[in-house]
Amino acid sequence: MMAGGNSRYVRYIAIAIFTLALFYFVSNSKYDAVSIRDAIPHASDKSPPAAEKPKPPQTDSKITPPLPATDKKPIDKPADKPADISTTKRPTGDAKEFPLALSPEDPNWDNDLTGIAPGPRMNATFVTLARNSDVWDIARSIRQVEDRFNKRYNYDWVFLNDKPFDDTFKKVTTSLVSGKTHYGEIPKEHWSFPEWIDQEKAKKVREDMAERKIIYGDSISYRHMCRFESGFFFRQPLMMNYDYYWRVEPSIELYCDIHYDPFRLMHEQGKKYSFVLSLYEYVETIKTLWDSTKKFMKNHPEHIAADNSMGFLSDDGGDTYNRCHFWSNFEVGSLNWLRSKQYIDFFESLDQDGGFFYERWGDAPVHSIAAGLMLNKSDIHFFNDIAYWHVPFTHCPTGEKTRLALRCHCNPKDNFDWKGYSCTSRYFDINGMKKPEGFENQQD
């Protein structure tokens, strides 16, 4: 019995010594103990682990990480209150520090096109005239513009409509644009018949054009659109914040990467108007447009530029109009020029003559005639390297080297520039410009 009791005491002492030793080792270890419960999340836990901060409640359906060098604007902006762009964050650095890279041989040419592009930004915006029903078509266009260019530059986008934009349009477009989005409703006086228009005469013109199957010949809304784009889009309150615009239509395509900022090119090279496609207008829609233009030239000779592009517009020194015009569904241009006295005088003279409703004058020939007469040749720019499609015409850059450098996916055989119905060859000729290598292979 005594031996058994002594044995138990020895075991108790040994266990006590081991326990004390283990406690000493653990308490002096350099590693912190981790609670098993804290390491394994439980469905019943109502609070996150201590290392994770609770997320604020989501108040918007759009979930986007913060964009560098830009602020996202609230979805809506009243049409009668100009947007405040003074607080927009812009990349720093002047033009000398970050020169434009127009070709792979230039400094700063970026093949990867990743991240936010360095250098200054212009006071510029994209602008789109659209209806709520255009939401998915314009979504396609926005992705084209963002993927090929604006994801690195974060320029704003102004949307204009003669009706209020609905929530779906705002949510979808805001989610796609990397810059700020602004939504404006066009005032009725900019989207209606002016008081001097004879409604009965205008109606008979539409009926006659419908019988002759002239495209958009019977459309009232198309005429309002052409008049608005000719004389009012650049005077909308939201547009008054900017100096340059890039017009984007629903359902367009951009076939090539854009390595530089076209707004900067316009500013630094002193350009006021630009294009990628040109062609002849339908003669039946503009029968008296040149008569109105000649009346304006007679009344305002002071507005005609010394080195103008009359040779692009007329084959006989201005006696008749050859119908050549720049296709205005793509434009990058100066808003200050459109808001100038010269251009406003021209538009108001045409508007009083009533041809937007008594015929079917388009904004493309109006812009083109104004640019051709009131700007010097050097003020107009052709963007060969911006590949563009709007049904039914394609501008695909001429020159294989250019297409490969810009990662273009257009078929050069589809390029409209050098076809018989294009006026681009004429533009090159009157400016004494050498046509791009390979243009002969794309002629009819």
Side-chain angles (χ1 to χ4, degrees):
M1 293 292 292
M2 181 65 70
N6 291 336
S7 177
R8 284 197 300 273
Y9 293 143
V10 171
R11 287 199 300 273
Y12 292 155
I13 293 170
I15 291 172
I17 293 172
F18 177 78
T19 301
L20 289 171
L22 180 62
F23 177 78
Y24 176 83
F25 174 79
V26 172
S27 65
N28 287 276
S29 173
K30 66 179 180 179
Y31 298 101
D32 293 330
V34 178
S35 167
I36 293 178
R37 187 181 186 280
D38 288 341
I40 302 176
H42 288 257
S44 61
D45 287 349
K46 295 184 179 180
S47 61
E52 180 181 344
K53 294 182 180 180
K55 294 181 179 180
Q58 183 68 34
T59 59
D60 196 339
S61 60
K62 178 173 171 248
I63 304 174
T64 307
L67 288 168
T70 188
D71 291 326
K72 204 62 179 174
K73 186 179 181 62
I75 285 178
D76 203 2
K77 187 73 182 177
D80 59 351
K81 183 179 180 182
D84 179 14
I85 59 171
S86 61
T87 59
T88 302
K89 296 178 182 177
R90 299 297 190 192
T92 58
D94 58 23
K96 293 181 180 179
E97 185 179 359
F98 298 101
L100 285 172
L102 303 180
S103 73
E105 290 74 33
D106 293 336
N108 299 326
W109 179 268
D110 185 356
N111 288 319
D112 295 330
L113 300 183
T114 57
I116 300 300
R121 298 293 189 269
M122 300 299 100
N123 188 21
T125 185
F126 294 96
V127 60
T128 292
L129 178 65
R131 301 160 296 188
N132 288 311
S133 58
D134 294 325
V135 59
W136 301 115
D137 293 327
I138 194 58
R140 169 183 168 183
S141 299
I142 293 171
R143 280 307 303 262
Q144 296 281 329
V145 173
E146 290 289 333
D147 290 350
R148 288 298 196 175
F149 168 71
N150 201 43
K151 65 183 179 182
R152 301 185 66 229
Y153 291 87
N154 309 145
Y155 278 108
D156 296 352
W157 209 302
V158 172
F159 297 95
L160 301 172
N161 189 355
D162 66 311
K163 302 289 191 299
F165 282 109
D166 59 31
D167 289 341
T168 298
F169 190 98
K170 293 175 184 177
K171 289 178 181 178
V172 170
T173 52
T174 298
S175 72
L176 295 171
V177 174
S178 60
K180 295 181 180 181
T181 53
H182 309 277
Y183 302 89
E185 184 177 352
I186 300 166
K188 185 176 181 180
E189 59 268 25
H190 294 172
W191 197 275
S192 58
F193 292 96
E195 59 182 10
W196 58 85
I197 294 298
D198 183 334
Q199 294 283 348
E200 189 61 30
K201 178 180 177 180
K203 180 182 178 182
K204 289 180 180 179
V205 168
R206 295 194 302 272
E207 291 172 347
D208 174 64
M209 286 191 170
E211 289 181 6
R212 291 187 287 144
K213 300 187 184 305
I214 295 174
I215 186 169
Y216 303 122
D218 62 341
S219 174
I220 294 176
S221 63
Y222 188 84
R223 286 172 167 82
H224 289 325
M225 181 274 290
C226 290
R227 180 173 179 256
F228 175 78
E229 294 283 22
S230 296
F232 298 110
F233 88 90
F234 48 88
R235 291 189 275 183
Q236 299 304 294
L238 291 174
M239 296 300 292
M240 296 302 291
N241 292 307
Y242 302 97
D243 297 326
Y244 294 94
Y245 73 100
W246 181 333
R247 179 171 163 181
V248 179
E249 299 280 316
S251 298
I252 60 103
E253 284 200 45
L254 295 180
Y255 290 113
C256 306
D257 289 338
I258 301 174
H259 282 249
Y260 63 89
D261 185 348
F263 292 125
R264 271 190 66 189
L265 181 144
M266 298 290 287
H267 177 73
E268 293 178 8
Q269 296 188 11
K271 306 295 183 181
K272 296 180 180 177
Y273 191 82
S274 67
F275 72 102
V276 294
L277 284 163
S278 68
L279 64 156
Y280 294 93
E281 180 61 295
Y282 298 107
V283 65
E284 295 297 322
T285 67
I286 54 163
K287 286 185 175 180
T288 65
L289 176 57
W290 195 249
D291 291 333
S292 291
T293 298
K294 289 197 291 185
K295 181 178 70 174
F296 167 80
M297 288 191 288
K298 181 179 179 180
N299 292 336
H300 294 281
E302 73 278 9
H303 290 340
I304 308 305
D307 187 26
N308 61 60
S309 299
M310 179 65 83
F312 179 78
L313 303 171
S314 176
D315 299 336
D316 51 22
D319 187 37
T320 60
Y321 178 35
N322 62 22
R323 299 178 289 122
C324 276
H325 66 283
F326 308 119
W327 219 23
S328 61
N329 49 65
F330 172 97
E331 290 178 327
V332 181
S334 166
L335 289 163
N336 294 321
W337 170 62
L338 291 175
R339 292 190 284 253
S340 69
K341 177 173 172 53
Q342 292 93 331
Y343 185 86
I344 297 299
D345 284 349
F346 178 62
F347 168 73
E348 290 183 349
S349 177
L350 298 185
D351 200 28
Q352 288 293 325
D353 288 344
F356 292 107
F357 301 103
Y358 297 148
E359 295 181 8
R360 202 224 64 187
W361 293 352
D363 56 279
V366 171
H367 286 188
S368 302
I369 291 172
L373 296 179
M374 293 185 284
L375 296 179
N376 290 314
K377 293 189 185 79
S378 60
D379 295 331
I380 303 173
H381 183 72
F382 170 60
F383 280 108
N384 180 54
D385 47 4
I386 298 182
Y388 175 80
W389 175 86
H390 182 290
V391 62
F393 300 118
T394 297
H395 165 64
C396 188
T398 304
E400 183 181 55
K401 184 178 179 181
T402 298
R403 293 192 300 272
L404 293 177
L406 299 178
R407 302 193 308 170
C408 303
H409 69 279
C410 54
N411 186 340
K413 293 181 180 179
D414 296 332
N415 185 28
F416 181 70
D417 294 351
W418 316 112
K419 310 298 184 188
Y421 204 65
S422 170
C423 293
T424 300
S425 184
R426 180 188 298 270
Y427 170 81
F428 272 70
D429 291 342
I430 69 160
N431 284 280
M433 297 166 58
K434 181 180 179 182
K435 296 182 176 67
E437 183 178 353
F439 85 94
E440 303 93 340
N441 300 328
Q442 296 176 4
Q443 292 177 309
D444 291 335

